[in-house]
Amino acid sequence: LIRDERLVAYFTPRAEAPSPEVLRAHVLEQLPEYMVPAAFVQLDALPLNPAGKLDRKALPEPGLASVLSRAYVAPVGEVETVMAGIWAEVLKLERVGRHDHFFELGGHSLLAVNVVARMRKAGLEVDARTLFSQPTLAQLAVCTVAQVEQVAVAETAIPALNRRRRI
């Protein structure tokens, strides 16, 4: 189910419930990373309506124990800081650290497109494929910085080549 634009898995365990990390690892074996739920919520029983069908409105919001969390490390540098602000706004979070993982925070393909558009608007060139392959803030920032430096080098190298040809 998608609640607040995050994919949440609700389950009722047959035995002792595994941790969100173990569940996520198991689901990752079956699905691509961007399709893995951001939270795994354990319930004693699924809420049913009078007709015996799942009552989606009665499903609880995921708590902190159901979401994967990493130790917060503040963004480093201007690029990471700008990106963290964009991620926090799009994902509706208070803060995003440099080792946070876009999809573990609740990101999905539609939000990835939104993040990429906002990053471009902020002057950070990146594409959605890069976000899918480099899903932590620090990893994506390195790719973004590399692209910016590559463009800057290409722009400064072209006039130098033209001057050599004129001589």
Side-chain angles (χ1 to χ4, degrees):
L1 296 175
I2 297 179
R3 286 196 165 198
D4 294 330
E5 300 182 11
R6 291 194 178 115
L7 188 60
V8 177
Y10 293 92
F11 68 98
T12 56
R14 294 182 184 167
E16 186 177 329
S19 68
E21 291 82 7
V22 171
L23 288 170
R24 185 177 195 288
H26 176 72
V27 173
L28 267 171
E29 293 173 2
Q30 310 300 317
L31 297 171
E33 189 168 24
Y34 64 91
M35 295 177 73
V36 175
F40 293 85
V41 179
Q42 177 183 342
L43 301 173
D44 293 331
L46 293 174
L48 303 176
N49 64 21
K53 295 186 178 190
L54 179 66
D55 185 358
R56 292 180 184 203
K57 292 179 184 175
L59 290 170
E61 290 292 327
L64 290 178
S66 62
V67 180
L68 288 177
S69 60
R70 297 174 185 263
Y72 177 77
V73 177
V76 175
E78 184 181 349
V79 172
E80 284 187 19
T81 302
V82 169
M83 287 173 50
I86 292 169
W87 284 27
E89 186 178 329
V90 170
L91 297 170
K92 296 180 174 96
L93 299 170
E94 277 187 42
R95 65 182 186 182
V96 174
R98 70 185 318 252
H99 300 299
D100 285 336
H101 189 287
F102 181 75
F103 299 105
E104 289 175 4
L105 293 175
H108 52 75
S109 57
L110 295 176
L111 290 178
V113 172
N114 192 343
V115 163
V116 167
R118 288 178 187 222
M119 286 178 62
R120 286 182 178 163
K121 197 172 191 178
L124 302 172
E125 287 300 317
V126 69
D127 60 26
R129 266 182 303 181
T130 305
L131 176 56
F132 282 92
S133 66
Q134 305 296 324
T136 68
L137 189 77
Q139 290 172 332
L140 188 61
V142 168
C143 293
T144 303
V145 170
Q147 287 180 2
V148 169
E149 289 174 355
Q150 186 178 27
V151 169
V153 169
E155 289 174 352
T156 58
I158 292 172
L161 291 175
N162 288 341
R163 280 189 228 129
R164 289 182 195 152
R165 290 183 183 160
R166 290 182 189 157
I167 296 178

